[in-house]
Amino acid sequence: MIALEGNMDLSGLIIFIVFIMIGPPIILTVLGLAIRKNNPTAAKVLYILAVVYLLVGLGICGSMMM
């Protein structure tokens, strides 16, 4: 019954969810920038994956946060 009370601090959970939404697209973009000169096709794939992950992450996690 203590867990049902409502005086819980959920700021850490919100930061974690925001990191799950924003973190992987940033990492994929940085990786794409790092390999852009050597392999431009793989860099484009990483950019596309980053955008798709960002859209899906903002859609699913954003709807859960609302």
Side-chain angles (χ1 to χ4, degrees):
M1 289 305 225
I2 294 173
L4 297 176
E5 282 185 8
N7 280 340
M8 295 179 0
D9 182 27
L10 297 177
S11 61
L13 181 64
I14 292 173
I15 292 171
F16 180 71
I17 291 174
V18 169
F19 179 73
I20 293 295
M21 287 191 302
I22 308 279
I26 291 172
I27 293 170
L28 288 172
T29 303
V30 169
L31 285 175
L33 289 172
I35 66 167
R36 182 173 44 171
K37 280 198 172 200
N38 296 337
N39 201 349
T41 306
K44 287 180 187 178
V45 170
L46 287 174
Y47 295 147
I48 291 169
L49 284 174
V51 169
V52 169
Y53 194 100
L54 185 64
L55 289 175
V56 170
L58 288 175
I60 293 173
C61 293
S63 67
M64 285 192 309
M65 288 179 63
M66 290 295 168

Short mmCIF file of all heavy atoms in Angstrom, two decimals:
data_model
loop_
_atom_site.label_atom_id
_atom_site.label_comp_id
_atom_site.label_asym_id
_atom_site.label_seq_id
_atom_site.Cartn_x
_atom_site.Cartn_y
_atom_site.Cartn_z
N MET A 1 0.81 -1.20 0.00
CA MET A 1 0.00 0.00 0.00
C MET A 1 0.85 1.26 0.00
O MET A 1 0.38 2.30 -0.41
CB MET A 1 -0.91 0.00 1.21
CG MET A 1 -2.01 -1.03 1.08
SD MET A 1 -2.89 -0.74 -0.41
CE MET A 1 -4.52 -0.88 0.08
N ILE A 2 2.07 1.15 0.44
CA ILE A 2 2.94 2.33 0.47
C ILE A 2 3.23 2.80 -0.95
O ILE A 2 3.31 3.99 -1.22
CB ILE A 2 4.24 2.01 1.25
CG1 ILE A 2 3.91 1.75 2.71
CG2 ILE A 2 5.23 3.15 1.11
CD1 ILE A 2 5.09 1.27 3.51
N ALA A 3 3.36 1.88 -1.90
CA ALA A 3 3.68 2.25 -3.28
C ALA A 3 2.53 2.98 -3.95
O ALA A 3 2.73 3.66 -4.95
CB ALA A 3 4.05 1.01 -4.08
N LEU A 4 1.33 2.85 -3.45
CA LEU A 4 0.17 3.48 -4.07
C LEU A 4 -0.06 4.89 -3.57
O LEU A 4 -0.99 5.55 -4.01
CB LEU A 4 -1.08 2.64 -3.82
CG LEU A 4 -1.06 1.24 -4.42
CD1 LEU A 4 -2.31 0.49 -4.01
CD2 LEU A 4 -0.93 1.30 -5.91
N GLU A 5 0.76 5.39 -2.66
CA GLU A 5 0.50 6.68 -2.06
C GLU A 5 0.71 7.80 -3.04
O GLU A 5 0.14 8.40 -3.37
CB GLU A 5 1.34 6.85 -0.82
CG GLU A 5 0.77 6.10 0.33
CD GLU A 5 1.53 6.36 1.60
OE1 GLU A 5 2.39 7.22 1.64
OE2 GLU A 5 1.23 5.68 2.56
N GLY A 6 1.55 8.14 -3.73
CA GLY A 6 1.57 9.27 -4.65
C GLY A 6 2.61 10.31 -4.31
O GLY A 6 2.69 11.32 -4.99
N ASN A 7 3.36 10.15 -3.27
CA ASN A 7 4.41 11.09 -2.93
C ASN A 7 5.74 10.64 -3.51
O ASN A 7 6.79 10.89 -2.94
CB ASN A 7 4.55 11.22 -1.40
CG ASN A 7 3.50 12.12 -0.83
OD1 ASN A 7 2.92 12.90 -1.55
ND2 ASN A 7 3.25 11.97 0.45
N MET A 8 5.71 10.00 -4.65
CA MET A 8 6.94 9.47 -5.24
C MET A 8 7.53 10.51 -6.19
O MET A 8 6.81 11.20 -6.90
CB MET A 8 6.65 8.18 -6.00
CG MET A 8 6.19 7.09 -5.09
SD MET A 8 5.77 5.51 -5.86
CE MET A 8 6.01 5.67 -7.55
N ASP A 9 8.84 10.58 -6.24
CA ASP A 9 9.54 11.48 -7.14
C ASP A 9 9.88 10.72 -8.42
O ASP A 9 10.67 9.79 -8.40
CB ASP A 9 10.81 12.01 -6.48
CG ASP A 9 11.54 12.99 -7.35
OD1 ASP A 9 10.89 13.65 -8.18
OD2 ASP A 9 12.77 13.09 -7.20
N LEU A 10 9.26 11.09 -9.53
CA LEU A 10 9.45 10.38 -10.78
C LEU A 10 10.32 11.14 -11.76
O LEU A 10 10.31 10.86 -12.95
CB LEU A 10 8.09 10.09 -11.42
CG LEU A 10 7.15 9.20 -10.62
CD1 LEU A 10 5.82 9.06 -11.33
CD2 LEU A 10 7.78 7.84 -10.39
N SER A 11 11.12 12.09 -11.30
CA SER A 11 11.94 12.87 -12.21
C SER A 11 13.01 12.01 -12.87
O SER A 11 13.34 12.21 -14.03
CB SER A 11 12.58 14.04 -11.49
OG SER A 11 13.41 13.58 -10.45
N GLY A 12 13.54 11.04 -12.16
CA GLY A 12 14.53 10.14 -12.75
C GLY A 12 13.94 9.29 -13.85
O GLY A 12 14.59 9.01 -14.86
N LEU A 13 12.71 8.87 -13.69
CA LEU A 13 12.04 8.07 -14.71
C LEU A 13 11.78 8.88 -15.96
O LEU A 13 11.96 8.40 -17.07
CB LEU A 13 10.73 7.51 -14.15
CG LEU A 13 9.92 6.62 -15.09
CD1 LEU A 13 10.70 5.37 -15.42
CD2 LEU A 13 8.59 6.30 -14.48
N ILE A 14 11.40 10.13 -15.79
CA ILE A 14 11.14 11.00 -16.94
C ILE A 14 12.44 11.27 -17.70
O ILE A 14 12.46 11.23 -18.93
CB ILE A 14 10.46 12.31 -16.48
CG1 ILE A 14 9.06 11.99 -15.98
CG2 ILE A 14 10.42 13.32 -17.61
CD1 ILE A 14 8.34 13.13 -15.35
N ILE A 15 13.53 11.49 -16.98
CA ILE A 15 14.83 11.70 -17.63
C ILE A 15 15.25 10.44 -18.38
O ILE A 15 15.77 10.51 -19.50
CB ILE A 15 15.89 12.12 -16.60
CG1 ILE A 15 15.57 13.51 -16.06
CG2 ILE A 15 17.28 12.07 -17.18
CD1 ILE A 15 16.41 13.94 -14.90
N PHE A 16 15.01 9.27 -17.81
CA PHE A 16 15.33 8.02 -18.46
C PHE A 16 14.53 7.83 -19.75
O PHE A 16 15.08 7.43 -20.79
CB PHE A 16 15.09 6.85 -17.51
CG PHE A 16 15.39 5.51 -18.09
CD1 PHE A 16 16.70 5.14 -18.34
CD2 PHE A 16 14.37 4.63 -18.41
CE1 PHE A 16 16.99 3.89 -18.89
CE2 PHE A 16 14.65 3.40 -18.94
CZ PHE A 16 15.96 3.03 -19.19
N ILE A 17 13.25 8.14 -19.73
CA ILE A 17 12.41 8.00 -20.92
C ILE A 17 12.85 8.98 -22.00
O ILE A 17 12.90 8.64 -23.18
CB ILE A 17 10.92 8.18 -20.56
CG1 ILE A 17 10.44 7.00 -19.72
CG2 ILE A 17 10.06 8.32 -21.81
CD1 ILE A 17 9.05 7.14 -19.18
N VAL A 18 13.19 10.20 -21.61
CA VAL A 18 13.67 11.19 -22.58
C VAL A 18 14.99 10.72 -23.19
O VAL A 18 15.22 10.87 -24.40
CB VAL A 18 13.80 12.58 -21.93
CG1 VAL A 18 14.55 13.55 -22.84
CG2 VAL A 18 12.43 13.13 -21.60
N PHE A 19 15.86 10.12 -22.39
CA PHE A 19 17.12 9.59 -22.92
C PHE A 19 16.87 8.45 -23.90
O PHE A 19 17.55 8.35 -24.92
CB PHE A 19 18.03 9.12 -21.79
CG PHE A 19 19.32 8.55 -22.30
CD1 PHE A 19 20.30 9.38 -22.82
CD2 PHE A 19 19.54 7.18 -22.29
CE1 PHE A 19 21.49 8.85 -23.31
CE2 PHE A 19 20.71 6.65 -22.77
CZ PHE A 19 21.69 7.49 -23.28
N ILE A 20 15.89 7.61 -23.62
CA ILE A 20 15.54 6.52 -24.54
C ILE A 20 15.00 7.09 -25.85
O ILE A 20 15.24 6.54 -26.92
CB ILE A 20 14.51 5.57 -23.89
CG1 ILE A 20 15.14 4.84 -22.71
CG2 ILE A 20 13.96 4.57 -24.89
CD1 ILE A 20 16.25 3.90 -23.07
N MET A 21 14.28 8.21 -25.79
CA MET A 21 13.74 8.83 -27.00
C MET A 21 14.83 9.50 -27.82
O MET A 21 14.84 9.39 -29.04
CB MET A 21 12.70 9.90 -26.65
CG MET A 21 11.39 9.40 -26.16
SD MET A 21 10.14 10.69 -26.08
CE MET A 21 10.86 11.87 -24.98
N ILE A 22 15.74 10.21 -27.18
CA ILE A 22 16.67 11.09 -27.88
C ILE A 22 18.07 10.49 -28.01
O ILE A 22 18.80 10.80 -28.95
CB ILE A 22 16.76 12.44 -27.13
CG1 ILE A 22 15.37 13.02 -26.91
CG2 ILE A 22 17.66 13.42 -27.84
CD1 ILE A 22 14.77 13.73 -28.06
N GLY A 23 18.48 9.62 -27.10
CA GLY A 23 19.85 9.12 -27.06
C GLY A 23 20.29 8.34 -28.29
O GLY A 23 21.30 8.69 -28.93
N PRO A 24 19.60 7.26 -28.66
CA PRO A 24 20.05 6.48 -29.82
C PRO A 24 20.09 7.26 -31.14
O PRO A 24 21.03 7.06 -31.91
CB PRO A 24 19.05 5.33 -29.87
CG PRO A 24 18.62 5.17 -28.46
CD PRO A 24 18.57 6.55 -27.90
N PRO A 25 19.13 8.14 -31.44
CA PRO A 25 19.28 8.91 -32.68
C PRO A 25 20.52 9.81 -32.69
O PRO A 25 21.17 9.96 -33.73
CB PRO A 25 18.00 9.75 -32.76
CG PRO A 25 17.01 8.99 -31.99
CD PRO A 25 17.78 8.33 -30.90
N ILE A 26 20.87 10.35 -31.54
CA ILE A 26 22.08 11.18 -31.46
C ILE A 26 23.31 10.31 -31.70
O ILE A 26 24.21 10.69 -32.46
CB ILE A 26 22.16 11.90 -30.10
CG1 ILE A 26 21.08 12.97 -30.02
CG2 ILE A 26 23.53 12.51 -29.89
CD1 ILE A 26 20.96 13.62 -28.66
N ILE A 27 23.34 9.13 -31.10
CA ILE A 27 24.48 8.23 -31.29
C ILE A 27 24.58 7.79 -32.75
O ILE A 27 25.67 7.76 -33.33
CB ILE A 27 24.36 7.02 -30.34
CG1 ILE A 27 24.52 7.49 -28.90
CG2 ILE A 27 25.39 5.94 -30.68
CD1 ILE A 27 24.19 6.44 -27.87
N LEU A 28 23.45 7.45 -33.37
CA LEU A 28 23.47 7.04 -34.77
C LEU A 28 23.92 8.17 -35.69
O LEU A 28 24.64 7.95 -36.66
CB LEU A 28 22.08 6.53 -35.19
CG LEU A 28 21.65 5.19 -34.63
CD1 LEU A 28 20.20 4.90 -34.96
CD2 LEU A 28 22.54 4.08 -35.14
N THR A 29 23.52 9.40 -35.37
CA THR A 29 23.94 10.54 -36.18
C THR A 29 25.44 10.78 -36.04
O THR A 29 26.12 11.05 -37.04
CB THR A 29 23.16 11.80 -35.76
OG1 THR A 29 21.76 11.53 -35.89
CG2 THR A 29 23.52 12.98 -36.62
N VAL A 30 25.96 10.67 -34.84
CA VAL A 30 27.40 10.86 -34.64
C VAL A 30 28.18 9.76 -35.37
O VAL A 30 29.20 10.04 -36.00
CB VAL A 30 27.73 10.88 -33.13
CG1 VAL A 30 29.22 10.79 -32.89
CG2 VAL A 30 27.16 12.14 -32.51
N LEU A 31 27.69 8.53 -35.32
CA LEU A 31 28.35 7.45 -36.06
C LEU A 31 28.29 7.71 -37.56
O LEU A 31 29.26 7.45 -38.29
CB LEU A 31 27.69 6.11 -35.73
CG LEU A 31 28.01 5.51 -34.38
CD1 LEU A 31 27.17 4.25 -34.16
CD2 LEU A 31 29.47 5.19 -34.27
N GLY A 32 27.17 8.21 -38.06
CA GLY A 32 27.06 8.54 -39.47
C GLY A 32 28.02 9.64 -39.88
O GLY A 32 28.63 9.59 -40.95
N LEU A 33 28.18 10.64 -39.03
CA LEU A 33 29.14 11.70 -39.32
C LEU A 33 30.57 11.17 -39.29
O LEU A 33 31.43 11.64 -40.06
CB LEU A 33 28.99 12.83 -38.30
CG LEU A 33 27.73 13.69 -38.43
CD1 LEU A 33 27.63 14.64 -37.24
CD2 LEU A 33 27.75 14.46 -39.73
N ALA A 34 30.84 10.20 -38.43
CA ALA A 34 32.19 9.67 -38.31
C ALA A 34 32.60 8.84 -39.53
O ALA A 34 33.76 8.85 -39.91
CB ALA A 34 32.31 8.83 -37.04
N ILE A 35 31.66 8.13 -40.14
CA ILE A 35 32.01 7.26 -41.26
C ILE A 35 31.61 7.85 -42.61
O ILE A 35 31.66 7.15 -43.62
CB ILE A 35 31.40 5.86 -41.09
CG1 ILE A 35 29.89 5.91 -41.16
CG2 ILE A 35 31.86 5.20 -39.83
CD1 ILE A 35 29.26 4.55 -41.31
N ARG A 36 31.22 9.10 -42.63
CA ARG A 36 30.72 9.71 -43.86
C ARG A 36 31.75 9.72 -44.98
O ARG A 36 31.43 9.47 -46.13
CB ARG A 36 30.23 11.13 -43.58
CG ARG A 36 29.64 11.82 -44.78
CD ARG A 36 29.02 13.12 -44.45
NE ARG A 36 29.87 13.88 -43.55
CZ ARG A 36 29.65 15.13 -43.22
NH1 ARG A 36 28.62 15.75 -43.71
NH2 ARG A 36 30.45 15.76 -42.39
N LYS A 37 33.01 9.99 -44.68
CA LYS A 37 34.04 10.07 -45.73
C LYS A 37 34.37 8.70 -46.29
O LYS A 37 34.53 8.53 -47.49
CB LYS A 37 35.30 10.73 -45.19
CG LYS A 37 35.22 12.20 -45.13
CD LYS A 37 36.59 12.79 -45.03
CE LYS A 37 36.45 14.29 -45.16
NZ LYS A 37 37.68 14.92 -45.54
N ASN A 38 34.50 7.70 -45.43
CA ASN A 38 34.90 6.37 -45.87
C ASN A 38 33.78 5.60 -46.55
O ASN A 38 34.03 4.87 -47.51
CB ASN A 38 35.44 5.54 -44.70
CG ASN A 38 36.69 6.15 -44.11
OD1 ASN A 38 37.39 6.89 -44.76
ND2 ASN A 38 36.94 5.83 -42.85
N ASN A 39 32.57 5.73 -46.03
CA ASN A 39 31.46 4.93 -46.54
C ASN A 39 30.19 5.76 -46.54
O ASN A 39 29.39 5.69 -45.60
CB ASN A 39 31.31 3.68 -45.67
CG ASN A 39 30.57 2.58 -46.37
OD1 ASN A 39 29.97 2.81 -47.42
ND2 ASN A 39 30.59 1.40 -45.80
N PRO A 40 29.95 6.56 -47.59
CA PRO A 40 28.78 7.44 -47.58
C PRO A 40 27.44 6.70 -47.62
O PRO A 40 26.46 7.19 -47.08
CB PRO A 40 28.97 8.30 -48.83
CG PRO A 40 30.00 7.63 -49.65
CD PRO A 40 30.78 6.74 -48.76
N THR A 41 27.41 5.53 -48.21
CA THR A 41 26.15 4.78 -48.26
C THR A 41 25.74 4.32 -46.86
O THR A 41 24.56 4.44 -46.49
CB THR A 41 26.30 3.56 -49.18
OG1 THR A 41 26.78 3.99 -50.45
CG2 THR A 41 24.98 2.85 -49.36
N ALA A 42 26.68 3.81 -46.10
CA ALA A 42 26.37 3.39 -44.72
C ALA A 42 26.00 4.59 -43.86
O ALA A 42 25.14 4.47 -42.98
CB ALA A 42 27.56 2.66 -44.12
N ALA A 43 26.61 5.74 -44.12
CA ALA A 43 26.26 6.94 -43.37
C ALA A 43 24.82 7.35 -43.64
O ALA A 43 24.09 7.73 -42.72
CB ALA A 43 27.21 8.07 -43.73
N LYS A 44 24.39 7.25 -44.90
CA LYS A 44 23.00 7.58 -45.23
C LYS A 44 22.03 6.63 -44.54
O LYS A 44 20.97 7.04 -44.06
CB LYS A 44 22.79 7.52 -46.74
CG LYS A 44 23.41 8.66 -47.48
CD LYS A 44 23.17 8.53 -48.97
CE LYS A 44 23.95 9.58 -49.73
NZ LYS A 44 23.77 9.44 -51.18
N VAL A 45 22.39 5.35 -44.48
CA VAL A 45 21.55 4.37 -43.79
C VAL A 45 21.45 4.71 -42.31
O VAL A 45 20.36 4.64 -41.72
CB VAL A 45 22.10 2.94 -44.01
CG1 VAL A 45 21.39 1.94 -43.12
CG2 VAL A 45 21.97 2.54 -45.47
N LEU A 46 22.55 5.10 -41.70
CA LEU A 46 22.52 5.47 -40.29
C LEU A 46 21.67 6.72 -40.05
O LEU A 46 20.96 6.81 -39.05
CB LEU A 46 23.94 5.68 -39.76
CG LEU A 46 24.75 4.41 -39.55
CD1 LEU A 46 26.18 4.76 -39.17
CD2 LEU A 46 24.12 3.53 -38.51
N TYR A 47 21.75 7.68 -40.97
CA TYR A 47 20.91 8.88 -40.85
C TYR A 47 19.43 8.52 -40.94
O TYR A 47 18.61 9.02 -40.16
CB TYR A 47 21.24 9.90 -41.94
CG TYR A 47 22.62 10.48 -41.87
CD1 TYR A 47 23.30 10.83 -43.02
CD2 TYR A 47 23.26 10.70 -40.66
CE1 TYR A 47 24.57 11.37 -42.98
CE2 TYR A 47 24.53 11.23 -40.60
CZ TYR A 47 25.18 11.56 -41.77
OH TYR A 47 26.43 12.09 -41.71
N ILE A 48 19.09 7.65 -41.87
CA ILE A 48 17.69 7.23 -42.02
C ILE A 48 17.22 6.49 -40.77
O ILE A 48 16.11 6.73 -40.28
CB ILE A 48 17.52 6.38 -43.29
CG1 ILE A 48 17.72 7.27 -44.52
CG2 ILE A 48 16.16 5.72 -43.32
CD1 ILE A 48 17.83 6.51 -45.82
N LEU A 49 18.07 5.59 -40.26
CA LEU A 49 17.71 4.88 -39.02
C LEU A 49 17.53 5.85 -37.85
O LEU A 49 16.63 5.66 -37.02
CB LEU A 49 18.78 3.85 -38.68
CG LEU A 49 18.78 2.57 -39.52
CD1 LEU A 49 19.98 1.72 -39.16
CD2 LEU A 49 17.50 1.81 -39.30
N ALA A 50 18.37 6.86 -37.78
CA ALA A 50 18.25 7.84 -36.70
C ALA A 50 16.93 8.59 -36.79
O ALA A 50 16.25 8.79 -35.78
CB ALA A 50 19.42 8.82 -36.75
N VAL A 51 16.54 8.98 -38.00
CA VAL A 51 15.28 9.72 -38.15
C VAL A 51 14.08 8.83 -37.84
O VAL A 51 13.14 9.25 -37.14
CB VAL A 51 15.17 10.30 -39.58
CG1 VAL A 51 13.79 10.83 -39.86
CG2 VAL A 51 16.21 11.39 -39.78
N VAL A 52 14.11 7.59 -38.31
CA VAL A 52 13.00 6.67 -38.03
C VAL A 52 12.91 6.38 -36.54
O VAL A 52 11.81 6.39 -35.97
CB VAL A 52 13.16 5.37 -38.85
CG1 VAL A 52 12.19 4.31 -38.40
CG2 VAL A 52 12.99 5.67 -40.32
N TYR A 53 14.05 6.16 -35.89
CA TYR A 53 14.04 5.90 -34.45
C TYR A 53 13.51 7.10 -33.68
O TYR A 53 12.76 6.96 -32.72
CB TYR A 53 15.45 5.54 -33.97
CG TYR A 53 15.47 4.95 -32.58
CD1 TYR A 53 15.57 3.59 -32.40
CD2 TYR A 53 15.39 5.75 -31.45
CE1 TYR A 53 15.59 3.04 -31.14
CE2 TYR A 53 15.40 5.21 -30.19
CZ TYR A 53 15.51 3.86 -30.03
OH TYR A 53 15.50 3.33 -28.78
N LEU A 54 13.90 8.30 -34.13
CA LEU A 54 13.43 9.50 -33.45
C LEU A 54 11.92 9.66 -33.60
O LEU A 54 11.23 9.97 -32.63
CB LEU A 54 14.15 10.73 -34.00
CG LEU A 54 13.86 12.05 -33.31
CD1 LEU A 54 14.34 12.01 -31.87
CD2 LEU A 54 14.50 13.19 -34.06
N LEU A 55 11.40 9.43 -34.80
CA LEU A 55 9.96 9.57 -35.01
C LEU A 55 9.18 8.53 -34.21
O LEU A 55 8.17 8.85 -33.57
CB LEU A 55 9.63 9.44 -36.49
CG LEU A 55 10.05 10.60 -37.37
CD1 LEU A 55 9.77 10.27 -38.83
CD2 LEU A 55 9.34 11.86 -36.97
N VAL A 56 9.65 7.30 -34.22
CA VAL A 56 8.95 6.25 -33.47
C VAL A 56 9.09 6.49 -31.98
O VAL A 56 8.13 6.35 -31.22
CB VAL A 56 9.49 4.85 -33.87
CG1 VAL A 56 8.97 3.78 -32.96
CG2 VAL A 56 9.12 4.56 -35.31
N GLY A 57 10.29 6.86 -31.54
CA GLY A 57 10.51 7.11 -30.11
C GLY A 57 9.68 8.27 -29.59
O GLY A 57 9.09 8.19 -28.53
N LEU A 58 9.63 9.35 -30.35
CA LEU A 58 8.81 10.48 -29.92
C LEU A 58 7.32 10.13 -29.95
O LEU A 58 6.56 10.61 -29.13
CB LEU A 58 9.09 11.70 -30.80
CG LEU A 58 10.44 12.38 -30.59
CD1 LEU A 58 10.62 13.50 -31.61
CD2 LEU A 58 10.58 12.91 -29.19
N GLY A 59 6.93 9.29 -30.88
CA GLY A 59 5.52 8.91 -30.96
C GLY A 59 5.11 8.01 -29.83
O GLY A 59 4.13 8.27 -29.13
N ILE A 60 5.86 6.95 -29.59
CA ILE A 60 5.48 5.97 -28.58
C ILE A 60 5.76 6.50 -27.18
O ILE A 60 4.89 6.54 -26.31
CB ILE A 60 6.20 4.63 -28.82
CG1 ILE A 60 5.69 4.01 -30.11
CG2 ILE A 60 6.00 3.68 -27.65
CD1 ILE A 60 6.44 2.79 -30.53
N CYS A 61 7.01 6.94 -26.93
CA CYS A 61 7.35 7.42 -25.59
C CYS A 61 6.65 8.74 -25.29
O CYS A 61 6.26 8.99 -24.15
CB CYS A 61 8.86 7.59 -25.45
SG CYS A 61 9.77 6.04 -25.51
N GLY A 62 6.48 9.57 -26.30
CA GLY A 62 5.79 10.83 -26.09
C GLY A 62 4.33 10.62 -25.72
O GLY A 62 3.79 11.33 -24.87
N SER A 63 3.70 9.62 -26.34
CA SER A 63 2.31 9.34 -25.98
C SER A 63 2.21 8.74 -24.58
O SER A 63 1.22 8.98 -23.88
CB SER A 63 1.69 8.42 -27.01
OG SER A 63 2.28 7.14 -26.96
N MET A 64 3.22 7.98 -24.17
CA MET A 64 3.20 7.43 -22.81
C MET A 64 3.41 8.53 -21.78
O MET A 64 2.88 8.45 -20.67
CB MET A 64 4.29 6.37 -22.64
CG MET A 64 3.95 5.06 -23.30
SD MET A 64 5.04 3.70 -22.84
CE MET A 64 6.65 4.35 -23.09
N MET A 65 4.18 9.56 -22.13
CA MET A 65 4.44 10.64 -21.17
C MET A 65 3.24 11.56 -21.02
O MET A 65 3.10 12.23 -20.01
CB MET A 65 5.67 11.42 -21.58
CG MET A 65 6.95 10.64 -21.37
SD MET A 65 8.42 11.50 -21.88
CE MET A 65 8.41 12.90 -20.80
N MET A 66 2.40 11.61 -22.02
CA MET A 66 1.22 12.46 -21.92
C MET A 66 0.21 11.78 -21.04
O MET A 66 -0.44 12.10 -20.26
CB MET A 66 0.60 12.71 -23.29
CG MET A 66 1.43 13.56 -24.15
SD MET A 66 1.53 15.19 -23.43
CE MET A 66 2.80 15.89 -24.39
#
